[in-house]
Amino acid sequence: MILACTLITSLIGAQLTYFLIHKKHLTTVRASAAPALIFSVIITTLPIPFSAALRAGFLGATFVGMTDKSRLGWKRVAVASFIYGLVFYFLLPLVDGFGGGLGAAAFTSCGLVFFLDKAFRRYFKNLFLRAYKRL
Amino acid sequence: MQLRFFELWVLKFISLLGGCLTCFYFQSQWGFNPVTAAALTGLIGSFIPDTKKIESAHIHATVYIGAFIAMGSKVVMAGFPQILFVSILGTTIYFFISPYIKGFGGRMGFVAFISSILGFALRNWL
């Protein structure tokens, strides 16, 4: 239940921030901080037992959404936010007490998606070129 | 006029330390949770006017990095010297690696995380 909520929150947080930056032309920091603040205030008032995890998850997801258009498109940002949600749920408790853990998780997931995408493109490009030459 | 190397570093350092202390203030005096405090600090910091002279200093980003550093209890609990030390580390790391990780989401938090861990480790080892 917590994992599912975290993943949904991550997807929403990242997509909302990405939308605010690229469609509404807000500055990256404002597009991350404003939704995180609003979400944090709203979630605090709701009687949810794991609200602290959701708050932190949402803030971290907004970092994923801060990715530049030239690095990742909105679909890849969605994939990165999903990976971020998993990293947040399973690995982040290990670095409790250190600031920037959320950002590090977001950075790792964005970097992973970026380099996997690059590697796949290169691999498939070579594959298609070889197949084309054979024809 | 472009800011010189050291002036730029000092400007980044001041904004990072300011973000860190502001976030810490919100947590300790107003009783905000770390997420709300960091988001509020970042939002306030984003209203600092980005003039042409300081646009290369990325003031908004460095304020946000400071807020992330203050989210960690291990740095904040160690006292002001540790906050100052981590702020110096964070500014220096961001100063040198930001051109290489430009455009990636979470780069500011990553810098805060590295500087927090490094500050904590150096404090224990030295």
Side-chain angles (χ1 to χ4, degrees):
Chain A
M1 177 69 182
I2 300 174
L3 178 62
C5 288
T6 308
L7 290 174
I8 293 166
T9 310
S10 305
L11 282 169
I12 295 169
Q15 290 299 324
L16 182 64
T17 308
Y18 196 79
F19 170 80
L20 288 175
I21 292 169
H22 298 292
K23 298 285 177 196
K24 298 290 172 191
H25 305 292
L26 254 68
T27 60
T28 50
V29 173
R30 202 173 293 169
S32 161
L37 184 63
I38 293 165
F39 183 83
S40 177
V41 170
I42 291 169
I43 209 86
T44 308
T45 58
L46 298 175
I48 300 171
F50 48 88
S51 62
L54 289 184
R55 265 198 311 258
F58 190 89
L59 179 70
T62 61
F63 305 153
V64 177
M66 287 166 90
T67 307
D68 196 66
K69 234 178 189 174
S70 61
R71 299 285 188 188
L72 299 174
W74 72 270
K75 284 177 199 163
R76 287 179 186 87
V77 164
V79 175
S81 65
F82 186 79
I83 294 170
Y84 159 78
L86 293 175
V87 172
F88 172 79
Y89 186 78
F90 290 108
L91 296 180
L92 227 57
L94 301 175
V95 290
D96 194 31
F98 289 106
L102 300 171
F107 182 75
T108 311
S109 50
C110 286
L112 190 71
V113 172
F114 179 76
F115 287 111
L116 278 179
D117 177 51
K118 239 182 168 182
F120 269 111
R121 274 175 193 230
R122 188 171 289 177
Y123 176 74
F124 280 114
K125 197 178 170 185
N126 288 341
L127 208 70
F128 283 128
L129 275 174
R130 264 185 240 153
Y132 181 73
K133 277 176 187 173
R134 274 182 202 160
L135 288 172
Chain B
M1 192 185 119
Q2 283 285 317
L3 286 172
R4 278 176 294 177
F5 201 73
F6 183 67
E7 285 174 336
L8 206 61
W9 187 90
V10 170
L11 204 59
K12 278 178 193 269
F13 170 70
I14 291 167
S15 53
L16 196 142
L17 187 64
C20 198
L21 293 176
T22 310
C23 185
F24 176 59
Y25 179 80
F26 285 146
Q27 287 181 66
S28 61
Q29 297 298 312
W30 291 9
F32 285 177
N33 58 63
V35 174
T36 311
L40 186 60
T41 307
L43 191 65
I44 292 169
S46 74
F47 287 101
I48 296 171
D50 233 359
T51 61
K52 273 185 181 174
K53 197 177 177 184
I54 61 166
E55 68 181 1
S56 54
H58 300 139
I59 295 292
H60 303 163
T62 41
V63 169
Y64 216 18
I65 294 173
F68 299 150
I69 289 171
M71 280 176 82
S73 55
K74 283 185 181 164
V75 171
V76 171
M77 295 283 268
F80 185 70
Q82 181 68 8
I83 293 175
L84 202 67
F85 181 52
V86 172
S87 298
I88 292 169
L89 281 176
T91 311
T92 311
I93 292 169
Y94 185 67
F95 198 83
F96 287 108
I97 73 164
S98 63
Y100 303 104
I101 53 173
K102 205 177 173 186
F104 281 109
R107 65 193 180 280
M108 295 177 232
F110 179 68
V111 169
F113 183 68
I114 296 286
S115 49
S116 295
I117 295 253
L118 206 60
F120 189 74
L122 286 174
R123 184 171 159 264
N124 284 347
W125 288 338
L126 297 176

